[in-house]
Amino acid sequence: MNIHDVAKKSGLSVVTVSRVLNNSPSVREGNRQKVLRAIEELNYQPNSAARSLVRGKTGVIGMSITNFNDSFYDRVIRVVNRKLAEQGYFLALSIAENDDDGVNFLFQKDRVDGIILLSPLEEKEYVEELKRKNIPVVLLDNQFEHEDVPSVVVDNYQGGYEATRHLISLGHTQIAYIGGPSEFLSVTERKRGYVQALDEAGLTPFGTEYCGFTVSSGYEVAKRWVREDKLPTAIFSGDDFIALGVVQALREEGILVPQDISVVGFDDQQFVGEFYPRLTTVRQPEAQMGNIGVDLLLKLINGEVMPPAVTKLAPQLLIRESTASVRLT
């Protein structure tokens, strides 16, 4: 079946059928219904490639991500995919976990109508390339501010502040911080919130460490603190994987969480509410991030002039079983 068959079945011209297929507002409603009935009766499937050529658009949005080993990324991707599908777009993913040469196969105008960068490792290089190729781009969970590029981030400072305030409210005065790699803006912002909360309470950091975003990294830091006899009464881990490693290391040493040491994570990974003790953590608003990111990108694609504003979203502290009042000795 082709467009000529639809035209013959509906009794209308090929031009009218084409206008209906492209959602043109100039078609009378009666004629539109005739075309739609003919399409349904013939089970006609328009050629998407041909329609893309006519419109000058691909109907595809690309998303570059670092990896899949994070349920926060997974939740953002699901929201973006659903939102784009509602708007008639397909989502194409590019995993840039080991993209050392900075080349991304999606960054071509004949492949995508726009790009969403989610926590990109090659952020500055990617932004420059996309601007050079005149491909609309929006940043999610980015590390830097860029001229002419809108972005959506979580208020990591507020998350770190609230996590630390929670520990202080439980009577803890010896509170340490373990963050991910220090080059990440989210890591430094979470630490900044931690320091600010301590400062307001007249306290000083018990100790700070930076490591990888992995269970093994948190495990090694906690084991070393045990060996050096430098354990605090509470630990704010700027990542759930790090926090789980800390809990495991303490458990092996016979140190109970939260009875002996309270532990807070960050991200609310999918599984942290299923282990014992269920982890107190800071949840990032992934639904808001995905929805706002798609809205911003579609406005850019439709030619709207968007300011390079940063949309900052508030995180949520989830209090579970890994934190408790300080044990008095």
Side-chain angles (χ1 to χ4, degrees):
M1 292 295 170
N2 57 45
I3 194 171
H4 296 280
D5 297 308
V6 176
K8 183 177 179 181
K9 181 74 174 178
S10 65
L12 299 169
S13 68
V14 171
V15 172
T16 300
V17 174
S18 177
R19 287 173 177 168
V20 172
L21 292 174
N22 288 283
N23 296 315
S24 172
S26 64
V27 181
R28 288 190 302 231
E29 186 57 30
N31 288 341
R32 184 185 303 278
Q33 293 304 319
K34 288 181 181 179
V35 171
L36 293 177
R37 281 196 298 271
I39 289 173
E40 183 177 359
E41 292 173 10
L42 295 172
N43 194 26
Y44 171 65
Q45 301 293 326
N47 186 302
S48 59
R51 292 175 69 188
S52 295
L53 288 173
V54 172
R55 295 175 178 176
K57 295 183 181 297
T58 66
V60 176
I61 300 298
M63 174 180 270
S64 176
I65 63 174
T66 304
N67 61 64
F68 274 126
N69 301 323
D70 192 304
S71 61
F72 166 67
Y73 291 158
D74 177 71
R75 294 193 298 257
V76 173
I77 293 167
R78 288 175 184 274
V79 170
V80 168
N81 182 62
R82 183 169 60 250
K83 180 88 170 180
L84 288 174
E86 292 171 355
Q87 301 298 319
Y89 283 90
F90 292 100
L91 176 65
L93 294 178
S94 171
I95 305 173
E97 186 171 11
N98 297 307
D99 198 3
D100 295 331
D101 57 7
V103 176
N104 193 301
F105 76 96
L106 284 179
F107 295 178
Q108 301 294 336
K109 290 206 72 168
D110 60 347
R111 293 177 179 167
V112 295
D113 294 335
I115 289 286
I116 295 174
L117 297 180
L118 175 58
S119 300
L121 293 178
E122 305 287 342
E123 181 175 323
K124 291 184 177 180
E125 293 84 352
Y126 280 179
V127 168
E128 288 303 314
E129 180 181 357
L130 292 166
K131 288 169 65 176
R132 187 171 63 251
K133 294 180 176 179
N134 199 29
I135 299 175
V137 57
V138 167
L139 295 162
L140 304 183
D141 191 35
N142 49 297
Q143 307 305 315
F144 308 97
E145 292 187 21
H146 304 266
E147 294 183 0
D148 306 322
V149 180
S151 62
V152 186
V153 299
V154 172
D155 192 340
N156 288 288
Y157 164 82
Q158 186 66 27
Y161 178 84
E162 291 184 4
T164 309
R165 285 291 305 167
H166 169 61
L167 293 172
I168 294 171
S169 72
L170 294 172
H172 294 280
T173 58
Q174 299 177 348
I175 305 171
Y177 172 74
I178 306 176
S182 59
E183 61 266 25
F184 285 93
L185 177 62
S186 59
V187 173
T188 57
E189 283 294 281
R190 291 168 193 176
K191 180 188 174 184
R192 190 168 70 88
Y194 155 80
V195 171
Q196 179 63 31
L198 290 177
D199 185 63
E200 289 179 3
L203 303 173
T204 57
F206 184 85
T208 59
E209 291 277 350
Y210 296 101
C211 62
F213 291 118
T214 63
V215 173
S216 60
S217 296
Y219 179 91
E220 291 300 326
V221 171
K223 281 286 189 176
R224 176 159 47 82
W225 283 358
V226 170
R227 291 195 303 268
E228 296 173 354
D229 194 25
K230 295 197 311 184
L231 286 176
T233 65
I235 298 172
F236 168 40
S237 300
D239 176 83
D240 284 342
F241 290 109
I242 295 173
L244 290 178
V246 168
V247 172
Q248 178 62 27
L250 295 176
R251 179 182 293 120
E252 290 181 5
E253 298 291 336
I255 300 169
L256 301 178
V257 175
Q259 292 89 337
D260 299 319
I261 296 180
S262 290
V263 177
V264 178
F266 206 107
D267 283 340
D268 192 32
Q269 296 289 340
Q270 188 172 359
F271 47 82
V272 298
E274 300 174 3
F275 287 87
Y276 179 81
R278 296 187 306 139
L279 189 66
T280 295
T281 188
V282 180
R283 183 183 178 94
Q284 302 197 61
E286 69 283 338
Q288 279 184 280
M289 178 176 284
N291 281 316
I292 294 173
V294 170
D295 287 340
L296 290 172
L297 185 61
L298 294 183
K299 287 179 180 180
L300 288 174
I301 291 172
N302 292 329
E304 293 189 35
V305 178
M306 300 295 299
V310 177
T311 302
K312 191 169 287 188
L313 306 177
Q316 178 187 9
L317 176 65
L318 301 177
I319 301 173
R320 297 192 179 113
E321 298 165 352
S322 67
T323 52
S325 297
V326 64
R327 173 179 287 181
L328 300 177
T329 57

